[in-house]
Amino acid sequence: MINVLIWNEFIHEKQQPEVAEIYPKGIHRQIGKYLSADKNISVRYASLDMENCGITKELLEDTDVLIWWGHQAHDKVSDDIVKLCADRINGGMGFIPLHSSHHSKLFKALCGTSCNLKWRHGDRERIWCVNPFHPIAKGIPEQFELPREEMYGEPFDIPNPEEVVFMGWFSGGEVFRSGVTFRRGGGKIFYFQPGHEEYPVYHNENVLKIIANAVKWAAPEARESKNILCTNPEPLEKGLE
Ligand code: ZN
């Protein structure tokens, strides 16, 4: 069983009726509903309005993959929570930051760069699968279209990804590395660009399937953290006399 924790800022859905219409129970519940249909995936939820943002050390220790959606309140997530999550990711937990989570404290801490990009509302996106042999691309067509999506454009200030699985092309002319992987310590990370709150992007079957594939790819074989220790051991054998 893969234990997934979906964290959502959960503000737009409560403040903007047009967003609530698309996601009446929140973006997290919409993604979770799809993932829960897989009997090998167990989903829990957390949001900014919960105590400690709904995140505890115990909960993270029982989590295999953390999905994150944030936009307007990145700074409301405490540095303590960011450290808790980053430590667990380094210790082996998978991490899937979505859309505007490129500017979350957690993703920026893991990248060590600004994670800045170009953006513009109201565009059309064609997502190209540029690594069809990757597990996250399983069952995904060569390309598919999102009729309405926010444009995210290059240059995207991230460290060179380990793999680029998807590229986005926008009708305004820009291109973007829309699906990229990283590793930090034992943790596998998949950043996925689609998901602007004003458009029904998480109702798209391919987008949901990619997130489900990413959950399976990012899940560690064992749940316990294996943090790399900083020690100064005695040598195992005699070296220099
Ligand atoms: Zn957006």
Side-chain angles (χ1 to χ4, degrees):
M1 181 66 78
I2 302 173
N3 285 353
V4 176
L5 177 63
I6 308 181
W7 189 91
N8 180 17
E9 185 178 276
F10 199 27
I11 295 176
H12 290 287
E13 299 95 322
K14 289 186 281 188
Q15 289 184 346
Q16 293 169 250
E18 66 276 20
V19 178
E21 204 171 300
I22 303 168
Y23 301 113
K25 293 179 180 168
I27 282 172
H28 50 318
R29 299 263 170 191
Q30 170 66 17
I31 294 170
K33 191 173 81 178
Y34 182 88
L35 294 180
S36 301
D38 188 323
K39 62 180 187 334
N40 295 315
I41 295 177
S42 161
V43 178
R44 283 179 289 202
Y45 303 100
S47 50
L48 190 65
D49 54 3
M50 295 165 74
E51 191 184 343
N52 213 35
C53 294
I55 290 179
T56 63
K57 193 166 189 281
E58 294 68 35
L59 179 59
L60 289 177
E61 277 167 5
D62 194 37
T63 296
D64 298 300
V65 180
L66 172 65
I67 297 176
W68 195 277
W69 196 100
H71 177 223
Q72 56 173 297
H74 296 312
D75 61 334
K76 299 283 190 299
V77 178
S78 75
D79 292 341
D80 289 348
I81 291 173
V82 172
K83 186 174 182 322
L84 270 183
C85 293
D87 283 352
R88 260 297 282 146
I89 293 162
N90 280 308
M93 181 178 72
F95 180 47
I96 305 175
L98 298 171
H99 188 58
S100 38
S101 303
H102 71 93
H103 262 170
S104 63
K105 281 185 181 178
L106 180 53
F107 185 58
K108 288 203 290 188
L110 293 162
C111 282
T113 55
S114 74
C115 300
N116 286 340
L117 45 75
K118 292 178 183 161
W119 58 275
R120 182 177 60 245
H121 284 149
D123 218 310
R124 175 168 58 88
E125 180 175 14
R126 189 173 295 280
I127 294 182
W128 285 92
C129 175
V130 295
N131 193 343
F133 302 105
H134 198 283
I136 298 177
K138 193 176 174 193
I140 304 300
E142 184 182 61
Q143 51 85 19
F144 64 95
E145 191 174 290
L146 298 173
R148 298 273 282 165
E149 177 55 301
E150 182 176 30
M151 184 282 290
Y152 274 13
E154 297 282 347
F156 183 19
D157 184 25
I158 48 172
N160 273 338
E162 187 167 297
E163 301 154 308
V164 179
V165 188
F166 299 100
M167 289 287 302
W169 170 88
F170 293 85
S171 54
E174 289 86 357
V175 293
F176 191 71
R177 288 168 289 174
S178 289
V180 291
T181 72
F182 304 91
R183 281 175 203 249
R184 292 293 182 269
K188 293 176 172 174
I189 300 168
F190 177 64
Y191 170 78
F192 193 38
Q193 161 265 316
H196 185 66
E197 69 279 357
E198 293 174 300
Y199 314 127
V201 176
Y202 297 122
H203 290 265
N204 181 287
E205 181 76 18
N206 285 316
V207 168
L208 291 167
K209 196 184 282 184
I210 287 168
I211 295 171
N213 285 347
V215 163
K216 290 172 192 162
W217 168 81
E221 281 171 26
R223 191 163 297 152
E224 83 271 20
S225 275
K226 288 185 183 169
N227 286 310
I228 294 166
L229 300 172
C230 181
T231 59
N232 182 18
E234 290 298 315
L236 295 176
E237 295 180 37
K238 268 202 158 180
L240 294 172
E241 290 295 329

